[in-house]
Amino acid sequence: MAPGPVIDLRGVTRRFASGVLAVDRLQLQVAAGNIVVLLGPSGSGKTTVLRLIAGFEQPEAGEIRVAGRPVAGQDVYVPPERRGVGMVFQDYALFPHLTVAENVGFGLHHLNGRDGARRARVQELLGLVGLAGFERRYPHQLSGGQQQRVALARALAPNPAVVLLDEPFSNLDADLRARVRAEVRDILRAAGATAIFVTHDQEEALSLADEVAVLWAGRVVQLASPEELYRRPATREVAAFVGDANFLPGRAHGEAVVCELGTVAAPEAPEGAVDLMLRPEMILPIADESGNGRVVAREFYGHEQMFTLQLDSGATLRSLVGRRRHQSALRLGQRVRVEVQGEAVVFPAARGGAAPDERGE
């Protein structure tokens, strides 16, 4: 029989004293060895979920289990230090007066009185995070990326059931973020760790995760692999939040939708009025003076370009074009024929109204 989830949240609810409902009957299971990212806009409840798992907040309803053991709910409360949970904070929270080795070994209470075993575990972790030889340095003598790795080594040192990371790369500049998150992912993989990240950065989530849990108004609205989430978002709101999304009205019949760009394949489309969701890389602009649109804006990224196209109907679309395509030479104001490549995702036709309110961080 397959083992149960390492993290299991069942109907968890958390309301703040102000009356704000931060987490609403949330369900979430995380399998052993998986890296799961909690992704959502500010106020969606993702940080509260992390704090509930860690034990810094208590649910008013529902149950939380860690490695099969109830830790919160139904008159149970296990304090954070006894949950088998490691935590990496946004600001790293390293002790400035302790060396790297002392920071990493801080949580190894079970090895008190066994200095040899403690030193061996610290050396093992420093080797894992690529900081062997840094034992005697202090946090202020390290770069931001190195401090991040020390914080991760400290969290991993006691062999926790799960490592929780709260916006761990937000203090790093853009170039360093990309490199450090790849390093952290590789370290977690090498350690065989189960991990839950919190982020509002879609690119970060898609590049890190085995699965992404999208939170909206305190609930998980979709739990899926990065590929599934991007290609088959569960709702219009998720589609618009995770990456660029173009929407066009159309009418579905059979396995296709007819819209102003022509007939587009959509195998799962319901009959009748729908909205097509088209990612920018699916939109192909071709220079054509008799075409159905024109180029109104261009963003150059080096290896690719993003064009904004205005159709004759007035609708605008964003089109991502690689530099090797001949479309890269398109000029502002140029007339184009806009085509669609690939299959579209469809949603019920928009009836107006806003996305669900965001409630509580």
Side-chain angles (χ1 to χ4, degrees), residues 88 92 94 100 104 125-132 134 142-156 168-169 172 176 179-180 183-184 187:
V88 178
Y92 317 141
L94 298 178
V100 166
V104 173
L125 266 297
L126 290 178
L128 180 67
V129 301
L131 290 176
F134 285 69
L142 304 176
S143 68
Q146 289 169 336
Q147 290 181 42
Q148 177 67 267
R149 284 184 274 159
V150 173
L152 182 58
R154 183 179 62 185
L156 288 169
F169 312 117
L172 304 177
L176 189 57
R179 180 168 62 81
V180 172
E183 290 175 351
V184 168
I187 290 166

Side-chain angles (χ1 to χ4, degrees), residues 104-237:
V104 173
F106 183 80
L108 296 176
H109 306 298
H110 64 291
L111 296 180
N112 286 345
R114 298 169 57 194
D115 290 344
R118 179 189 290 268
R119 282 194 299 272
R121 181 60 178 159
V122 168
Q123 289 301 316
E124 178 186 357
L125 266 297
L126 290 178
L128 180 67
V129 301
L131 290 176
F134 285 69
E135 294 84 352
R136 296 183 180 182
R137 295 196 189 185
Y138 288 87
H140 72 273
Q141 297 174 311
L142 304 176
S143 68
Q146 289 169 336
Q147 290 181 42
Q148 177 67 267
R149 284 184 274 159
V150 173
L152 182 58
R154 183 179 62 185
L156 288 169
N159 283 315
V162 62
V163 178
L164 308 177
L165 303 99
D166 186 11
E167 299 273 10
F169 312 117
S170 60
N171 291 331
L172 304 177
D173 62 52
D175 289 340
L176 189 57
R177 280 179 75 135
R179 180 168 62 81
V180 172
R181 73 185 179 215
E183 290 175 351
V184 168
R185 181 193 60 219
D186 291 345
I187 290 166
L188 290 169
R189 294 260 189 262
T194 305
I196 302 177
F197 281 79
V198 160
T199 185
H200 63 274
D201 185 314
Q202 297 94 328
E203 179 182 319
E204 194 165 281
L206 296 178
S207 66
L208 273 172
D210 296 311
E211 290 185 298
V212 180
V214 181
L215 270 68
W216 210 278
R219 291 189 178 185
V220 175
V221 295
Q222 186 169 7
L223 176 65
S225 69
E227 295 83 358
E228 177 73 10
L229 180 66
Y230 184 78
R231 295 172 183 166
R232 314 294 296 179
T235 69
R236 185 186 179 103
E237 291 75 28

Side-chain angles (χ1 to χ4, degrees), residues 269-319:
E271 294 286 324
V274 297
D275 284 341
L276 287 164
M277 190 279 290
L278 303 167
R279 294 296 187 190
E281 61 271 19
M282 298 172 64
I283 304 295
L284 182 65
I286 301 170
D288 186 342
E289 286 304 315
S290 61
N292 53 356
R294 64 188 181 91
V295 178
V296 295
R298 168 181 175 265
E299 300 166 43
F300 180 71
Y301 303 131
H303 57 290
E304 57 191 8
Q305 298 179 78
M306 183 75 80
F307 291 102
T308 302
L309 312 173
Q310 185 174 57
L311 303 180
D312 291 340
S313 66
T316 59
L317 302 173
R318 285 167 65 80
S319 169

Side-chain angles (χ1 to χ4, degrees), residues 283-287 307 309 319 321 326-327 330 336-339:
I283 304 295
L284 182 65
I286 301 170
F307 291 102
L309 312 173
S319 169
V321 174
H326 65 276
Q327 289 87 356
L330 294 174
V336 292
R337 182 176 75 256
V338 183
E339 298 182 354

Side-chain angles (χ1 to χ4, degrees), residues 14-29:
R14 176 72 170 109
R15 189 186 303 271
F16 293 131
S18 62
V20 171
L21 184 61
V23 178
D24 184 13
R25 293 166 287 173
L26 183 136
Q27 307 282 136
L28 179 66
Q29 289 77 43

